[in-house]
Structures are given as structure tokens and as C-alpha cells.
Amino acid sequence: MTNVSLTLGPVLFHWPAERLLDFYRRIADEAPVGRVHVGEVVCGKRMPFSDPCWPDVIERLERAGKEVVLSTLAAPATVRERRSVADLCGDERLVEVNDITALPARAGQPFVTGPFLNVYNEATAQFLAGRGARAICPPVELSLAAIGAMAAACPEIEFEIFAFGRLPLAISGRCYHARLHGLHKDSCQFTCEKDPDGLAVDTLDDQAFLAINGVQTLSNQVQAFCPTPETLAAHRIARLRLSPHTCDMVRVAEAYRALLDGEEEPGAVRATLAGLDLPGEMVEGYVHARPGWMTAATVD
Amino acid sequence: MTAPARMELVCPAGTPSTLRAAVEAGADAVYCGFRDETNARNFPGLNFSAQELAEGVRFAHDRGTRVLVAINTFARVGDVDLWRNAADTAVRCGADAIIAGDIAVLDHVATNHKDAIRLHLSVQAAAATPEAIRFYAETFGVRRVVIPRVLSVPEITALNKNIDVETEAFVFGGLCVMVEGRCYLSSYATGKSPNLNGVCSPPEAVTYDEDGKGMAAKLSGFTIDRYAPGEPTGYPTLCKGRFNAGGKTSYLFEEPVSLNAGSLIEGLKKAGITALKIEGRQRGKGYVSEVVRAFRRAVDAVEAGGDAVEIDRILAGQSEGGRQTAGAYRKVWR
């Protein structure tokens, strides 16, 4: 048995309001996750579509006993985007800081940091703890050993590792969905909505490699880190983050819960995940301090 | 803030001899780093020892040029002292400023060397809003911010009206199309990254494979571009490669171009920019001398009220060869 918790990260993709409502209804009722992040992280232009559904989503999740965290934009730029960050930071609920912009607005109140914020060492983590950080999900390129070393030096903070989903690798001022369709970001026509798990970017030799999601670039492959409870305990990892995709996320959460509770072996959990409709091959190179695209088999 | 009286030209110094070349070509300031992983251009044969830095500072100061030391990678967990010591050494060598992006480094300098050296916020910190910049200024006493290459000139103008620290903008050299300091593409493919190792798309991961279809430029086995027989090959920088997506083959992120915002110097001055930065710490003495000399003349011409045609003529020699762009400074880039 372990007391490691599951966190459902924010939806990174442009899902229509109906899809978001359906998704979170099912998460509220069925998914064994303790904490659920909601909010638009990638592109402020999508907020008019999703903002109206958050009050209902939050109420439903909280009535089901989930802890709701409000996620803020990773790269706020416009006046409206900056105002939305400040507004969210005024909420009584826990807030996920994804850009330093949010830090002053959240002064004196507890927060968590997402993988978009550069927390690479114990000194930075301790500084943020002094400002109210309660949990830190470091950038995805950090290894399990590095996160474990940070956790050992910062016992007052919960450390979370990005365990499942396409890896968020980069963010830009330029929208690649718009560029692919011959449009500009300012008149993008929201073409990213057509790709609810991101659009695959293959090499000229048709090797699966990356994926685009508006201004964001992700891995084509899906992080599927399936550690034993003992491994997590040894590295003082308190939380695993599951990043939403269109596959059966309730099943994903159940598989991870069984793993954390010692009811299933990592191999069996990998087999379960492989049977779901994942958008790419399962990888876990980063956690082993190797290139992120490497699989469990290739890192050995 | 109001536009400064005279823009500063900040130039690259990868080695002691390029430092001297940049100073002699008219740099107002040079920037350099130590020969280790504490700076974002960690290549063999580049960068400075403590003694070389001290000598470089003396040479530059004798000629009225400032020296800025880049300690702009993110400190490795368990080894933060290597980065702290680099900052201490920069102070000891008499450098004028430290360019840092990691809170651990900024906090160390602010706590221990507050009055001894200026702090500049590295582009790696990706501070692009008034709130973020004010946080760094108020918390660590940061005096200047190197702004990310994703903002347009009107956005820079608006930003400068809302902050009271200096801003520095890239005008020539590499073009990162992702927000700097928040891009892990290189480590995803190769295991080495700008934030952790000071390298992007590192040479040891590059191979060129001749096959029936031409020459494939690969990074860790991923084909980043392909060239027809006889066509000159390029370096497989990840975000400047050709990919298949949505049924199209294209330079999806960016063409293999470099940044040249020479024609925008006047606009950047009006936008309130304090300093213009030229990239190229990996480049040789000849290149640095030539580029710095051209930009020196262009900046002086702008400061003297010269017109755009004159500036273009001065910089014409810099636009031969590789393809260039003014990048995000022009709004259509997005």
C-alpha cells in the first residue's frame, strides 16, 4: 500500500464545451483521482469557449469529493489573458501556477506549480515553498532521480511526476495549427479543435515524432511511466499526474490506482494501457535520464 | 519607461580573442560565459576560465566596454553550488553584470552580491509580461530583462510602458521559435537540452545518411530534413526541420532562417529598448568583427537620425548567404 495520490492534469487540447462537460461528469462519478485540474493552459483564444462550462464542472467535481485546482495559462500575453490569470489567483481554491506572471497575484496564498514552470533544483523549490508552493510538478525533462533528490531536500513540498499522456515539450508565440492551414494566429479559425489529442507530426521518413496543439508542441508518443509503489516511496514522490486524452481516462486512472495500491504489477498496467486507444507508442525515457522518446524496453 | 539616450550594442564573446575583436569593432558591452555547463553555449573549445575572464574584463574596461557574464542554464539538483560559485567568480573578476534565468542563481546574487554587480534576467526565464518582470525586479533587483523572441514590436512598446527596468532585444543571429527556457524538444530527441546542458540539437547526435532519396540529416535517428543529390546540406536544428503533418510536407515550425532585425533598429528604439543583442558565441573572430562593425555603424546612424535606406545599405553585407527573417518582431510571423 502507498499513500501516493493521483492528479488529473488540465485538458491541454481544444475540446468543445459539451465534450468537457461529459468528460468531467464521468471523472467526477467514476475516476479514482483525488485532485482534478481545470482551466485553459495552452491558448487564451480558446477561453471564451470553455470558460462558461467551468462553474458547472467545478461544482460537479467538488460534490463528488474531488479537490479542484484552477490551472493558469502557461504563456499569458494579452491584457485579457493577464487579467484571467490574476482573477484565477484570487480564488480560494488551490491554483496551478504555470508562469511567473501568476506568482505576485497569488502572494500569500497556497499554490502548486505545473510542468511549464522551470523548477530544476532544490534552491528554486525552496524559494517557491517560501512563497506558498505546496506541490511541484517539475518540467518533464527532469529524471526521477533528480525529482527524488529535490524532494529529499524539500520535505515540506509534495512532488508530482508527469506519469501519463503526450509530453508537453514546448510553447510558442506562433500557432502551428494556423500556420499549417495557411492562417495567422490572430485569425486561426480554431482549427486545433479538429485534433482532440493533437495533430501528429511525422518525420520525412514517416517516423512518429511530435504533435502540435495550437501554440504547443507535444511528443507524439505517450508517457506511460508505471513505477512500483516502492520506487515512488524511495524517491519521495507524492503524486502521479495523468494528462487527459480522448482514450478512456477512467480506465487509465483505475489502472494507475491499482498500481499504486500494489494490486497490479507494472507490466500488467502497461498491458492495460496499451489496450486503450492511445495516440502514440508508450515511452518513459525522461524518468530514466534518457532521451524522452525511449521506451521501457530501450532504456534498460 | 522612456527611451534611453543611446542604445547599447551587446556583442558575443565565445573566446578571449573574440572578446578583443568585439571590443575593437565597437561593442558597448560583450557577453561571455564560463567553460562549463553553467552557460547556455557549452561547447568544447569555447568560453572562459576565471583568469581569462579577469583579463578580458581588464581589456574591455580599459576601452570603455562592459562585460556581462551569462550564467544562464538551470542549476542541477544537488550541484547548485557550481552555479553559485560561477556567480561569485564573475563578481570577483570585476564583471559588470550577471545574466541569469534560474531563481536559484538570481536569489544567490541578490542575497550575496547586491551592490557588487548588476543582475540581468536571461531570456531563458521567459519573462514576457509586466507582472513577471516586476516580480524579478522587485524580488531580486533585476535591472534589465532580455525579452523572449516571441513578442512583436507593438507588444514590446506596450510592455515597456508598463515596467521600469531596462529591456534588451535580440537583433541578429539565431532564432528560437519556441518560448526560450521552456522548450524540451532537444532533450526529447537527444537527451541534451538548453536548460539542463546548454545545448540544443547537439552535434554528437547528428548524422548524415546518403540513401536512394538523397542526403538525410538526422538527429538521434529522426530525419529532420532531406536534400537532393548535390544540394547543400543544412544543420538539423529540430525546429527548423521539414516534417509531414496534416497531409503536407513543410517547415512546420520555421524555415531554416536566422534572425536579422537590423531594419527594425529604429522601431526597437522607439519601443523603448535599451540594448540590442547580437548572437553568435560559437562564431569566429572574423565573423564577430564584421557583424559588430556593421551593427555599430547602423546603431550610430539611427542615433544620428539616419534614414532607413542608409541603415539597409550598411547592413546589406550581412544578408548574403543564409535566409533571414525579422521573426516575431513583425506581427504576421505568428
Side-chain angles (χ1 to χ4, degrees):
Chain A
M1 287 292 287
T2 164
N3 54 4
V4 175
S5 308
L6 288 176
T7 302
L8 188 71
V11 171
L12 300 176
F13 307 99
H14 187 23
W15 290 0
E18 256 327 294
R19 177 169 222 147
L20 286 171
L21 289 165
D22 278 350
F23 175 74
Y24 284 111
R25 252 179 233 134
R26 198 160 167 241
I27 293 296
D29 294 344
E30 300 176 46
V33 296
R35 186 177 274 182
V36 180
H37 288 233
V38 301
E40 176 58 51
V41 166
V42 172
C43 179
K45 292 190 67 180
R46 300 169 178 175
M47 293 172 120
F49 299 95
S50 57
D51 276 356
C53 66
W54 296 129
D56 288 346
V57 165
I58 292 168
E59 188 191 0
R60 185 68 186 260
L61 288 166
E62 288 181 341
R63 283 173 68 96
K66 312 292 188 198
E67 182 184 15
V68 171
V69 177
L70 308 181
S71 290
T72 56
L73 281 168
T78 65
V79 171
R80 191 171 53 81
E81 288 167 358
R82 286 159 47 212
R83 195 181 302 132
S84 86
V85 170
D87 287 349
L88 288 174
C89 287
D91 201 280
E92 287 175 1
R93 295 177 183 86
L94 207 49
V95 164
E96 180 186 40
V97 169
N98 285 313
D99 185 271
I100 293 293
T101 301
L103 219 47
R106 194 62 185 173
Q109 289 170 278
F111 61 89
V112 306
T113 71
F116 303 93
L117 205 67
N118 283 330
V119 185
Y120 279 95
N121 51 62
E122 64 277 26
T124 299
Q126 281 155 356
F127 176 92
L128 291 170
R131 301 260 158 168
R134 297 286 175 270
I136 287 176
C137 182
V140 293
E141 67 173 351
L142 273 184
S143 67
L144 178 62
I147 298 172
M150 247 195 281
C154 306
E156 73 276 32
I157 309 176
E158 288 186 329
F159 278 83
E160 179 171 301
I161 192 162
F162 190 98
F164 177 85
R166 280 185 160 168
L167 291 153
L169 295 178
I171 197 139
S172 176
R174 174 181 260 182
C175 175
Y176 301 117
H177 259 94
R179 181 169 155 87
L180 184 69
H181 291 93
L183 303 166
H184 289 138
K185 183 184 173 191
D186 298 336
S187 52
C188 68
Q189 298 178 18
F190 302 99
T191 56
C192 56
E193 193 178 33
K194 292 177 194 150
D195 301 299
D197 288 300
L199 175 67
V201 175
D202 298 336
T203 72
L204 296 179
D205 289 323
D206 294 321
Q207 302 154 289
F209 188 25
L210 302 171
I212 53 168
N213 169 38
V215 296
Q216 184 181 40
T217 305
L218 301 123
S219 60
N220 180 292
Q221 292 77 6
V222 174
Q223 175 91 328
F225 176 46
C226 300
T228 63
E230 293 75 25
T231 300
L232 294 176
H235 291 89
R236 305 176 74 112
I237 303 295
R239 300 182 163 274
L240 295 188
R241 175 174 293 218
L242 313 178
S243 190
H245 281 283
T246 57
C247 64
D248 187 345
M249 288 303 295
V250 169
R251 191 74 199 88
V252 171
E254 287 169 350
Y256 270 97
R257 192 64 257 166
L259 177 71
L260 296 175
D261 291 342
E263 292 163 6
E264 289 278 15
E265 295 295 317
V269 172
R270 277 197 198 95
T272 300
L273 296 177
L276 300 174
D277 191 17
L278 303 184
E281 191 187 5
M282 297 194 296
V283 298
E284 56 175 81
Y286 274 141
V287 294
H288 305 284
R290 305 294 302 278
W293 59 268
M294 288 193 165
T295 63
T298 52
V299 293
D300 292 336
Chain B
M1 68 181 291
T2 53
R6 188 172 173 278
M7 278 192 295
E8 185 179 295
L9 190 58
V10 181
C11 304
T15 63
S17 71
T18 37
L19 180 144
R20 291 192 291 274
V23 169
E24 282 164 354
D28 294 308
V30 292
Y31 65 99
C32 54
F34 291 113
R35 194 174 293 140
D36 58 30
E37 60 209 299
T38 63
N39 90 87
R41 288 292 179 278
N42 181 22
F43 294 108
L46 273 196
N47 302 318
F48 289 65
S49 66
Q51 193 191 333
E52 286 166 345
L53 180 65
E55 288 164 4
V57 168
R58 272 196 297 277
F59 180 87
H61 284 180
D62 284 350
R63 288 153 185 83
T65 305
R66 287 176 289 282
V67 177
L68 323 177
V69 178
I71 304 173
N72 56 351
T73 48
F74 289 82
R76 191 173 48 238
V77 64
D79 282 319
V80 180
D81 279 346
L82 180 65
W83 276 256
R84 292 180 178 130
N85 293 341
D88 298 344
T89 305
V91 173
R92 213 167 45 241
C93 292
D96 298 274
I98 287 170
I99 308 167
D102 188 348
I103 283 175
V105 179
L106 295 163
D107 194 33
H108 173 75
V109 177
T111 306
N112 297 285
H113 304 295
K114 200 168 184 289
D115 301 318
I117 200 160
R118 277 167 61 103
L119 258 181
H120 291 186
L121 189 67
S122 167
V123 72
Q124 294 297 107
T129 65
E131 293 81 10
I133 290 169
R134 277 187 224 125
F135 167 79
Y136 286 107
E138 288 164 11
T139 311
F140 305 116
V142 160
R143 308 275 289 277
R144 179 185 294 178
V145 174
V146 186
I147 50 180
R149 276 164 280 196
V150 294
L151 296 179
S152 65
V153 173
E155 285 168 338
I156 295 171
T157 308
L159 181 65
N160 272 326
K161 284 184 181 147
N162 279 293
I163 56 175
D164 56 7
V165 294
E166 300 170 4
T167 48
E168 180 172 304
F170 286 92
V171 282
F172 194 79
L175 174 66
C176 279
V177 297
M178 307 303 180
V179 177
E180 290 98 335
R182 297 164 87 177
C183 175
Y184 318 123
L185 289 175
S186 180
S187 66
Y188 187 68
T190 73
K192 293 276 195 295
S193 78
N195 285 5
L196 282 168
N197 312 96
V199 293
C200 174
S201 310
E204 68 267 22
V206 174
T207 51
Y208 292 93
D209 290 353
E210 181 83 62
D211 56 25
K213 295 176 277 184
M215 181 73 84
K218 296 186 175 182
L219 199 64
S220 287
F222 292 106
T223 305
I224 304 300
D225 210 340
R226 172 173 273 115
Y227 306 90
E231 191 184 351
T233 55
Y235 189 86
T237 304
L238 241 165
C239 58
K240 314 278 167 54
R242 256 190 304 182
F243 299 101
N244 296 331
K248 293 181 195 169
T249 299
S250 68
Y251 289 105
L252 178 62
F253 303 107
E254 180 60 281
E255 282 82 16
V257 292
S258 59
L259 175 71
N260 187 351
S263 60
L264 298 178
I265 293 174
E266 197 180 357
L268 290 169
K269 183 180 170 66
K270 283 186 184 148
I273 289 290
T274 305
L276 302 173
K277 178 171 237 158
I278 294 171
E279 254 205 351
R281 280 192 280 155
Q282 307 101 302
R283 307 304 290 263
K285 219 168 101 172
Y287 170 91
V288 169
S289 293
E290 191 188 335
V291 172
V292 172
R293 206 161 278 133
F295 271 85
R296 175 77 275 154
R297 288 178 60 205
V299 171
D300 288 348
V302 167
E303 295 292 353
D307 62 21
V309 177
E310 186 190 355
I311 314 301
D312 284 350
R313 189 179 48 74
I314 293 170
L315 292 172
Q318 305 309 318
S319 52
E320 289 165 12
R323 297 165 65 195
Q324 311 211 0
T325 174
Y329 294 133
R330 298 197 196 279
K331 220 178 162 194
V332 290
W333 179 85
R334 306 201 291 199

